Amino acid sequence: MTAVLAVQDLHVAIGPRGKAANVLRGASLEVQAGEVRGLVGESGAGKSMLGRAVLGLLPANAVVQSGTIQFEGRDLLAMPEPERRSLLGRRIALIPQDPMTSLNPVKRVGAQISIMLRHHLALSKREALERATELLTEVAIREPRRVLDLYPHEISGGMRQRVLIAMAFACDPSLVIADEPTTALDVTVQRQVLQLVERLRQRHGAAILFVTHDLGVVAKICRTMTVLHAGRVLEDGETADVLVKPRHPYTRALLAATPRADRPAEALRPVPPALIESLWSEAHRLDRLAVAGPA
Amino acid sequence: MRWGEIIRRLVLIPPTLFGVCIIVFVLLRVVPGDPIAMMIPPGASAADIDRLRAFYGLDQSIPQQFITWFGQALSGNFGRSISLHQSVFELVLARLPATLELSAMATLIAVGLGTVVAFTGVYVRGRGAEWAIDGGIGVFLAIPDFLWALILLLLFGVLIPLLPITGRIDPQLDVTFHTNFYLIESLLTGRLDVASALLQHMILPAVALALPFAALVARILKASLSEAEDQDYAQIARARGFSRPAILLREVFPNALIPTVALGGVQITLLLGGTVLVERIFSYEGIGNMAIDAVINRDFPLIQGLILTFAILFIALNLAVDLLVTLLDPRLRHG
């Protein structure tokens, strides 16, 4: 069975030609149908870039240098634009990071949900509204009819995130990319949102690529995980294995830097600068090798 | 804008107009220049001059004159024009529709042109063509309306005589109007030949007024579209499979419209001010052209009436713009 998502040896550079920074240096990962995979790494590790590359949301000055991104066996990068667009939002969906800026401020919630349903599922206006009501009920929004008539600024951040989650699952996608969807929320709302995502995943049978820097979140909901650093995959496997027996010193350092209830705060150790330094110089050495070719 | 705010703005209108009246009234009488000197024939005796001065009330002190004028103005009598010997109110009312039609036409052209340029500029964002469009906008912003008037007049009136260059309508055209909104009236009564003649007279001054304003609209709208397109909600729309034109039109434009109306709307007052010179150049019979004659003749009552009219138009425009912005932005509607 082919993986829902298979990223192979992806290289992405950002910036002006000549001075471009390599943000992904041969990253690879697979997500199987129905799998929940955590994609972790510190800021700048390239985890968000990987998610954006799948969605075609790379910044204007970013270039995919090589590699493939296969969705259900078809390469998204080689696909004609209209075909890719018909997959985005319908088969591949996004739960964005910041619920405060991710909804259009001048359009009613109902209009924003139904335009997507009408675009991808060719529903009539009435059908789309009906379906939007169901979706809001599914994400546990009370009085969905009333909320459909509200503007984003009239509902809370947690509620907006629910609306965005409802929109992600609206067309029964087989892959949902969650780009740090809990980072901008406070802790109590975070938990509800995670439960909600898990429930919807089960109901709609989607696979999820959960991009986060929060190992706690990964431990809670992801069966498998990928650790990214400096644009490369350092570790990949069952979450339990990776967290209990981290093979790479960087993963160990990340774990040591995570606050936990069962140990005092003094025990927190930042990732040693020397380790980050050595990883980066290793990355650059491999880049030079790749350019020069094997000796 | 909520009701309280609207009422506050309406309450502020009379004091604003009162201030305008005082400033204009005093300034006119303090700066050198005398209406009487403009109307007397050479060789008039000092006694004649004094009699004329007394006839128009100009022998009294400025506060005394103001009280007399303001008292009459409150009852709707804005005095008689010294040079045209008619009621100022009737003179202005007869000419105002011509200027309103011209300004509305110019605004329409400017908004249409500016919107097209702004969308084109945003669509080619980041490419060389964007620089060309930005440069073009800069050039059109730098050339004032009266210069366009002269250029257009020479180009399409003299060099390639395609269009009439004076007046509002051909004098030989056999038509009587019941209102002074000639264009609107002729369209409503189905006199398309008359409407076409009016449009031919209107198009050159309207374009001259429209070009700098179109550049302004294009610049503000393009900047607003660019900014809105970079927002998360527009980026996410891309990840939902919408095409770029659809996103620009449906997601980005309604947001970009808000700052554009707020900033650009009040600039229509600049366009109105531009009618003074442009109407003069095309001998178009509106209040702008009338204002120049009034100033040349030191026709105090007429100048006062005209400036008051412009002031009322400006205030009304600002209020309309604020109301429109409130309609466009749901965040303002709910306060």
Side-chain angles (χ1 to χ4, degrees):
Chain A
M1 191 183 140
T2 52
V4 173
L5 178 71
V7 178
Q8 275 287 320
D9 195 29
L10 191 64
H11 288 258
V12 173
I14 287 191
R17 206 173 306 207
K19 279 187 286 183
N22 299 311
V23 288
L24 290 177
R25 307 153 184 265
S28 304
L29 65 79
E30 280 195 6
V31 181
Q32 304 298 330
E35 181 182 354
V36 184
R37 176 174 286 270
L39 179 59
V40 299
E42 58 183 357
S43 306
K47 56 188 192 303
S48 278
M49 277 304 147
L50 203 148
R52 287 175 148 257
V54 176
L55 294 159
L57 282 188
L58 286 175
N61 59 350
V63 191
V64 176
Q65 293 164 312
S66 63
T68 57
I69 301 174
Q70 295 206 327
F71 173 74
E72 295 178 338
R74 290 145 71 204
D75 189 356
L76 288 173
L77 297 173
M79 193 178 279
E81 181 67 19
E83 201 183 333
R84 208 172 59 85
R85 276 212 307 270
S86 83
L87 290 176
L88 289 175
R90 189 171 58 89
R91 306 297 300 145
I92 309 172
L94 163 73
I95 303 175
Q97 176 169 16
D98 188 352
M100 305 313 272
T101 58
S102 298
L103 288 167
N104 194 330
V106 303
K107 300 175 84 175
R108 292 177 202 276
V109 170
Q112 302 195 42
I113 302 177
S114 59
I115 193 167
M116 217 176 82
L117 295 167
R118 299 181 66 188
H119 177 66
H120 283 303
L121 306 179
L123 297 185
S124 72
K125 216 170 189 157
R126 180 189 292 269
E127 290 168 336
L129 217 65
E130 208 54 49
R131 180 86 184 101
T133 315
E134 286 170 28
L135 283 164
L136 288 193
T137 314
E138 222 180 310
V139 294
I141 286 179
R142 280 188 291 270
E143 300 182 78
R145 289 264 175 208
R146 193 179 65 86
V147 173
L148 287 177
D149 270 336
L150 296 177
Y151 287 96
H153 73 272
E154 296 174 294
I155 59 179
S156 69
M159 193 109 108
R160 287 187 216 189
Q161 190 60 288
R162 283 161 191 268
V163 170
L164 288 162
I165 291 169
M167 288 171 88
F169 286 96
C171 307
D172 288 319
S174 55
L175 174 68
V176 173
I177 294 178
D179 185 10
E180 310 215 24
T182 54
T183 317
L185 302 172
D186 61 60
V187 186
T188 46
V189 183
Q190 259 185 32
R191 237 172 59 114
Q192 295 169 8
V193 164
L194 286 178
Q195 285 169 352
L196 197 61
V197 171
E198 178 57 23
R199 201 166 69 228
L200 282 163
R201 181 195 70 80
Q202 284 173 6
R203 186 171 310 170
H204 294 263
I208 297 186
L209 183 61
F210 208 105
V211 181
T212 181
H213 59 255
D214 189 341
L215 289 171
V217 168
V218 173
K220 235 173 274 164
I221 68 164
C222 303
R223 196 174 54 77
T224 52
M225 67 184 282
T226 302
V227 179
L228 214 59
H229 183 270
R232 273 206 189 74
V233 173
L234 288 187
E235 204 130 19
D236 188 307
E238 300 275 323
T239 305
D241 294 344
V242 174
L243 290 183
V244 175
K245 295 176 293 200
R247 279 174 305 166
H248 199 283
Y250 173 70
T251 318
R252 260 181 296 210
L254 264 190
L255 277 169
T258 307
R260 264 168 44 187
D262 61 355
R263 65 182 182 202
E266 304 88 72
L268 284 185
R269 288 195 307 274
V271 178
L275 175 57
I276 293 180
E277 196 62 43
S278 74
L279 282 168
W280 274 102
S281 62
E282 171 72 2
H284 283 298
R285 192 181 64 80
L286 290 171
D287 278 345
R288 278 196 300 276
L289 267 182
V291 171
Chain B
M1 203 159 51
R2 277 160 297 176
W3 285 109
E5 172 69 7
I6 294 172
I7 290 165
R8 199 180 69 87
R9 295 281 293 273
L10 289 174
V11 167
L12 276 175
I13 292 176
T16 309
L17 289 177
F18 183 72
V20 170
C21 288
I22 290 188
I23 292 170
V24 173
F25 203 91
V26 173
L27 271 183
L28 278 176
R29 283 157 179 79
V30 172
V31 295
D34 182 354
I36 305 301
M38 304 304 294
M39 57 198 293
I40 47 164
S45 71
D48 289 339
I49 295 174
D50 284 345
R51 216 169 318 124
L52 265 176
R53 206 174 285 283
F55 177 77
Y56 285 106
L58 294 171
D59 54 342
Q60 292 168 314
S61 71
I62 293 178
Q64 189 60 51
Q65 287 182 44
F66 183 76
I67 289 164
T68 309
W69 177 80
F70 192 74
Q72 289 175 343
L74 281 182
S75 61
N77 174 10
F78 293 86
R80 290 178 72 80
S81 156
I82 297 176
S83 57
L84 299 169
H85 311 292
Q86 284 181 51
S87 147
V88 165
F89 188 73
E90 278 165 27
L91 279 170
V92 172
L93 215 58
R95 289 284 198 98
L96 182 60
T99 298
L100 289 181
E101 283 191 345
L102 178 63
S103 312
M105 174 66 72
T107 306
L108 227 64
I109 294 172
V111 170
L113 201 62
T115 306
V116 169
V117 171
F119 268 97
T120 314
V122 165
Y123 199 73
V124 300
R125 196 137 80 106
R127 290 186 242 159
E130 189 193 7
W131 286 81
I133 285 175
D134 282 344
I137 291 174
V139 168
F140 278 80
L141 269 177
I143 301 178
D145 43 20
F146 60 87
L147 205 59
W148 282 119
L150 291 171
I151 295 169
L152 291 172
L153 185 135
L154 290 174
L155 205 62
F156 297 107
V158 181
L159 217 59
I160 321 161
L162 281 176
L163 291 162
I165 52 170
T166 59
R168 194 175 172 198
I169 191 153
D170 306 301
Q172 68 269 26
L173 210 64
D174 180 32
V175 59
T176 42
F177 293 103
H178 301 94
T179 67
N180 289 308
F181 289 96
Y182 290 179
L183 185 61
I184 295 172
E185 187 184 331
S186 62
L187 285 173
L188 288 180
T189 54
R191 286 293 301 269
L192 294 183
D193 56 325
V194 179
S196 135
L198 285 162
L199 281 173
Q200 283 181 27
H201 281 82
M202 202 186 268
I203 195 77
L204 287 183
V207 168
L209 285 168
L211 286 177
F213 189 53
L216 192 83
V217 171
R219 171 171 279 186
I220 301 174
L221 183 59
K222 177 172 172 283
S224 309
L225 285 169
S226 299
E227 203 192 311
E229 198 189 10
D230 290 337
Q231 301 295 309
D232 284 346
Y233 57 81
Q235 295 292 311
I236 289 165
R238 268 170 64 201
R240 294 202 181 113
F242 291 102
S243 69
R244 185 147 182 253
I247 294 170
L248 281 177
L249 219 58
R250 282 199 306 242
E251 307 288 332
V252 174
F253 186 51
N255 281 282
L257 211 50
I258 297 165
T260 308
V261 170
L263 293 171
V266 293
Q267 304 288 343
I268 296 178
T269 54
L270 279 185
L271 188 148
L272 269 176
T275 58
V276 173
L277 283 174
V278 171
E279 283 183 1
R280 187 62 167 191
I281 290 167
F282 289 99
S283 312
Y284 188 88
E285 291 177 351
I287 57 170
N289 201 351
M290 186 180 245
I292 292 190
D293 283 326
V295 170
I296 290 174
N297 293 321
R298 302 280 165 197
D299 192 337
F300 289 175
L302 189 52
I303 297 174
Q304 283 152 204
L306 285 168
I307 291 185
L308 208 56
T309 308
F310 275 112
I312 291 169
L313 284 178
F314 288 10
I315 289 171
L317 260 172
N318 277 308
L319 199 61
V321 164
D322 286 347
L323 282 172
L324 189 56
V325 169
T326 313
L327 278 180
L328 291 172
D329 193 343
R331 286 161 296 189
L332 294 177
R333 265 203 306 270
H334 305 109

